[in-house]
Every structure is written in structure tokens, then in C-alpha cells.
Amino acid sequence: MTITEMLGQGGLLTLLGMCVVFSFIIILIICMTVLKAVVHAFKLDKTAEPTNNAAPAASAAAGNDGAIIAAIAAAIREKQSV
């Protein structure tokens, strides 16, 4: 087998592999689109209702800033002492 034949076979296998991967991705996208349509048709999707749960969590985290800063400072001091 000559180098030209080997390069040709390598190129053919590369193209075949890329086509298989591309086909798999296209099939995956089609299946996901069909699944999305089925979920919407049967109304299985949860509608996100806007809630204000994020605001209290943010304000609670703001009270812990001092503890977080102290923990980071202690970790840095520990790392520098080693």
C-alpha cells in the first residue's frame, strides 16, 4: 500500500466519521424538537411564575459578608504560614 493510497483511505475515513457525527447531531436536534412539541402539546412544561424569592436570599447573604471575608482571610493566612 503506497502513501497515496493510505492518505486517500485516511481522508475517506475522516469524512465518513464527520458525516456520522453530523448525522447523529441532526437526529438529536430533530428528536429534541419533537420532544419539545410533545411536552407543549400535553402541557407538561412548568410555567415559571415570577417570584421574589431571590431578593430575600440576596439580603440574607449580605449579612454573611463579614463571615465570608473572615473565612477567606483565615484561609489566606493559613496558606501563607505553610
Side-chain angles (χ1 to χ4, degrees), residues 48-59:
E49 297 177 8
T51 59
N52 293 333
N53 292 341
S59 63

Side-chain angles (χ1 to χ4, degrees), residues 8-81:
Q9 189 177 12
L12 184 64
L13 287 173
T14 301
L15 286 175
L16 179 65
M18 288 172 33
C19 287
V20 167
V21 170
F22 184 73
S23 300
F24 177 76
I25 290 172
I26 293 299
I27 292 169
L28 186 65
I29 290 171
I30 291 170
C31 289
M32 289 175 61
T33 305
V34 169
L35 183 62
K36 183 180 89 169
V38 168
V39 166
H40 285 302
F42 289 117
K43 299 194 185 314
L44 297 174
D45 54 342
K46 295 182 180 178
T47 56
E49 297 177 8
T51 59
N52 293 333
N53 292 341
S59 63
N64 294 334
D65 283 345
I68 293 171
I69 292 171
I72 293 172
I76 292 173
R77 249 182 273 119
E78 181 68 28
K79 180 69 175 171
Q80 289 175 346
S81 68

